[in-house]
Amino acid sequence: MSRRPLIAGNWKMNGLKADGIALAEGVAAKRRAEPDLACDVLVCPPFLLVSDVARAVAGSGLAVGGQDCHAKTSGAHTGDTSPVMLKDAGCSHVILGHSERRTDHGETDAQVKAKAAAAHAAGLVAIVCIGETLAQRDGGETLEVNRRQLKGSLPEGANADNTVIAYEPVWAIGTGRVASPEQAQEVHAAIRAELVKLVGETEAGKMRILYGGSMKPENAAQLIALPDVDGGLIGGASLKVEDFWAIARNCA
């Protein structure tokens, strides 16, 4: 089944206002110059930059997303941002369950599931992240860990229109290490097989699964060409216009 690739840039906690606007304008200029690009392109800046970035890329064809959200729409949750706030600021997507959130903030599958449900209710596409650590891979637990996280993190009502899955081998994030094409395809295929059980064969066939472990211009073509890899969740390379766009141009 044909799935339109998605190239999503996760800026993480990087960029002051001027830097973020310049980066967004640079990517937007590339997008305007290639309106027939064979993929969707998304940028996910830090919360404080979302509104500025949304204005900077308006009309370019770029989508804007948040990097996390709370499971509630409002209330006494100091320091948190609700999905409706992200929507109001110009977001169409939100990254949830990133390994850095799971590790640094102790987020559980149940919390990710609640956030994803809230994102759906607010009209946002949830990018649900899953992935194994190096110890889990070395222990032969890779497929089981990803199946368990997927099952625990995916809310009822998830479908190909409101949900994207991002497989991010934790041991490959920011380390320069990358899963081999064979390793990436094995896990992506297992995720899609699990999705068949969770959302049905039709939706599983349409749902995009991104690779999120140190994708760069040098390895993007090989990874994106894999049967079950539908784009990338890009970290470091998304902070450089030329590198990020070089990845996007590998979509066929």
Side-chain angles (χ1 to χ4, degrees), residues 24-73:
E25 289 178 340
V27 178
K30 294 285 190 183
R31 185 68 182 87
R32 288 189 179 97
E34 297 188 48
D36 297 324
L37 190 73
C39 65
D40 296 328
V41 184
L42 167 72
V43 293
C44 299
F47 288 132
L48 286 176
L49 298 183
V50 166
S51 293
D52 291 314
V53 167
R55 284 191 291 269
V57 307
S60 69
L62 286 182
V64 179
Q67 296 179 15
D68 182 46
C69 71
H70 198 277
K72 300 290 186 181
T73 58

Side-chain angles (χ1 to χ4, degrees), residues 96 109-121 124-128 149-159 162-165 195 198-199 207:
L96 298 172
D109 293 340
Q111 287 173 310
V112 175
K113 181 177 182 177
K115 290 181 178 187
H120 291 165
L124 297 173
V125 175
I127 301 177
V128 178
Q149 288 184 352
L150 181 66
K151 184 176 181 180
S153 302
L154 213 59
E156 289 187 19
N159 57 49
N162 64 22
T163 304
V164 173
I165 307 301
L195 284 171
L198 298 172
V199 301
M207 193 173 288

Side-chain angles (χ1 to χ4, degrees), residues 4-158:
R4 183 172 171 83
L6 170 64
I7 301 299
N10 177 13
W11 295 4
K12 305 190 180 183
M13 195 173 69
N14 292 293
L16 300 182
K17 184 174 180 178
D19 303 319
I21 291 174
L23 177 56
E25 289 178 340
V27 178
K30 294 285 190 183
R31 185 68 182 87
R32 288 189 179 97
E34 297 188 48
D36 297 324
L37 190 73
C39 65
D40 296 328
V41 184
L42 167 72
V43 293
C44 299
F47 288 132
L48 286 176
L49 298 183
V50 166
S51 293
D52 291 314
V53 167
R55 284 191 291 269
V57 307
S60 69
L62 286 182
V64 179
Q67 296 179 15
D68 182 46
C69 71
H70 198 277
K72 300 290 186 181
T73 58
S74 63
H77 304 288
T78 302
D80 284 312
T81 302
S82 78
V84 294
M85 290 175 177
L86 289 178
K87 182 75 172 179
D88 186 56
C91 288
S92 56
H93 295 66
V94 60
I95 299 169
L96 298 172
H98 191 281
S99 63
E100 291 159 0
R101 298 289 310 177
R102 292 177 185 263
T103 300
D104 295 348
H105 299 275
E107 289 190 2
T108 64
D109 293 340
Q111 287 173 310
V112 175
K113 181 177 182 177
K115 290 181 178 187
H120 291 165
L124 297 173
V125 175
I127 301 177
V128 178
C129 301
I130 59 175
E132 81 283 1
T133 65
L134 182 60
Q136 289 167 332
R137 172 164 282 277
D138 288 344
E141 303 174 69
T142 295
L143 299 186
E144 177 54 35
V145 166
N146 282 282
R147 291 188 187 108
R148 182 176 69 246
Q149 288 184 352
L150 181 66
K151 184 176 181 180
S153 302
L154 213 59
E156 289 187 19

Side-chain angles (χ1 to χ4, degrees), residues 166-246:
Y167 165 57
E168 39 164 25
V170 180
W171 47 271
I173 299 173
T175 64
R177 296 181 60 179
V178 184
S180 69
E182 293 77 15
Q183 290 172 324
Q185 173 57 26
E186 178 189 29
V187 180
H188 278 243
I191 291 170
R192 198 169 305 282
E194 187 66 20
L195 284 171
V196 171
K197 302 176 186 177
L198 298 172
V199 301
E201 186 172 0
T202 299
E203 290 301 318
K206 295 188 295 184
M207 193 173 288
R208 293 182 286 191
I209 307 173
L210 311 183
Y211 175 77
S214 294
M215 185 181 284
K216 300 173 182 176
E218 297 78 22
N219 59 36
Q222 193 174 27
L223 289 165
I224 294 171
L226 296 169
D228 287 294
V229 175
D230 307 310
L233 180 59
I234 316 301
S238 71
L239 300 176
K240 297 179 180 179
V241 173
E242 295 300 329
D243 286 355
F244 185 57
W245 204 251

